[in-house]
């Protein structure tokens, strides 16, 4: 009997109906399938019925169990089981050497970080992931709602986000304290890279945008101008708002993704003696 380990965010999905719904939501592509955290392998089993799979599991006890349970699939290469921390793998490179779709019941404690890493991985094209409902709503939030923050902007600037369905705590063993949701993020672009598909010119420009978002949303209920003027010229920021016919009392969640992108670009333009992203790269 394998005990669930809290430190690895282990809540094993028991509900067969939910497993079927996840399988039905998978994109119908020829791409490689990758799973993070196969756990006791129940969802893995269903995924393997559809496609070959590459999986990452951090818990060495579970890896022993999985190697035994899936010995035939591993022997014939239908399942590649990698033991280790998926975040370490992301630090080095991609989870796969070709384009892939990610399907996972993610551990809550690192779900947001994993999603942001997968969004940055140019080989990851689609994510079907189960996460805490509250976090799912943040990724799928639309402008003018209170949940609309940098997570929704970072996801929707390169793709489409959809909450597919909610999952109650009773679907798991052990049961988590909160509801979960399965979300689908389909990427249509990349943050940077190949000219026509990159939203930003370079990695440095993308990182500058992440920094801009941290500043713009540092106090989400305060005005955009109040937040932004801690890092950029207030005079310039005010003139940009007026140029765009936007009120100077507008709050960061009231600005659309397009507004944020445009304001960021204009703030980067050198006019007040501060360094632009491009200048920093040259240094
Ligand atoms: N897929 C299984 C299911 O649906 O029942 C288990 C899901 S459980 C919520 C999360 C899984 O992710 C666990 O198996 C856990 O050990 C694994 N995990 C946690 N942190 C990880 C990490 N950093 N890298 C890889 N796997 C991780």
């Amino acid at each position: 009997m394998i005990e669930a380990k809290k430190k690895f965010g282990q809540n094993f999905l028991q509900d067969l109906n939910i497993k079927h719904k996840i399988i039905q939501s998978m994109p119908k592509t020829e791409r490689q399938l990758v799973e993070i955290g196969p756990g006791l392998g129940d969802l893995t089993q269903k995924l393997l019925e559809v496609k070959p799979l590459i999986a990452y599991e951090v818990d060495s006890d579970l890896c022993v169990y999985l190697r035994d349970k899936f010995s035939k699939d591993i022997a014939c290469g239908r399942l590649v089981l990698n033991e280790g921390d998926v975040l370490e793998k992301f630090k080095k490179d991609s989870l796969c050497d070709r384009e892939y779709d990610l399907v996972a019941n993610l551990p809550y404690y690192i779900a947001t970080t994993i999603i942001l890493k997968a969004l940055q991985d140019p080989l990851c094209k689609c994510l079907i992931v189960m996460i805490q409902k509250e976090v799912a709503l943040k990724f799928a939030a639309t402008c003018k709602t209170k949940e609309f923050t940098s997570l929704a902007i970072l996801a929707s600037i390169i793709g489409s986000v959809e909450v597919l369905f909610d999952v109650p705590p009773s679907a798991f063993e052990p049961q988590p304290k909160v509801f979960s949701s399965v979300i689908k993020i389909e990427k249509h672009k990349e943050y940077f890279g190949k000219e026509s598909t990159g939203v930003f010119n370079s990695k440095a420009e993308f990182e500058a945008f992440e920094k801009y978002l941290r500043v713009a949303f540092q106090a989400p209920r305060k005005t955009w101008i109040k937040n932004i003027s801690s890092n950029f010229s207030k005079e310039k920021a005010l003139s940009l708002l007026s140029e765009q016919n936007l009120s100077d009392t507008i709050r960061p969640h009231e600005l659309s993704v397009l507004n944020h992108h445009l304001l960021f670009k204009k703030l980067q333009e050198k006019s007040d003696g501060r360094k632009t992203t491009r200048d920093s790269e040259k240094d």
Side-chain angles (χ1 to χ4, degrees), residues 6 38 68-69 87 90 113 135 160 172-173 196 225 246 269:
K6 233 179 172 177
D68 181 50
K69 178 169 177 160
L87 292 181
F90 268 130
T113 312
V135 181
S160 53
F172 304 90
E173 183 54 47
S196 54
I225 200 76
L246 295 164
E269 283 167 14

Side-chain angles (χ1 to χ4, degrees), residues 55-69:
Y56 290 85
E57 176 55 65
V58 73
D59 184 341
S60 50
D61 293 336
L62 283 179
C63 284
V64 172
Y65 172 83
L66 290 165
R67 275 188 213 107
D68 181 50
K69 178 169 177 160

Side-chain angles (χ1 to χ4, degrees), residues 5 7-14 19 22 35-44 56-59 62 66 82 84-88 104-110 114 130 172-173:
K5 296 188 181 99
K7 67 169 178 176
F8 290 137
Q10 291 173 356
N11 299 98
F12 301 117
L13 181 60
Q14 304 286 293
K19 284 176 218 162
I22 293 175
E35 184 188 15
I36 294 173
L40 294 172
D42 291 18
L43 180 60
T44 315
Y56 290 85
E57 176 55 65
V58 73
D59 184 341
L62 283 179
L66 290 165
N82 296 298
D85 183 343
V86 77
L87 292 181
E88 290 302 316
N105 168 17
L106 290 177
Y108 288 157
Y109 76 109
I110 44 166
I114 289 176
M130 174 133 60
F172 304 90
E173 183 54 47

Side-chain angles (χ1 to χ4, degrees), residues 41-53:
D42 291 18
L43 180 60
T44 315
Q45 179 86 61
K46 298 274 165 236
L47 294 172
L48 279 168
E49 285 167 19
V50 185
K51 270 182 175 189
L53 183 67

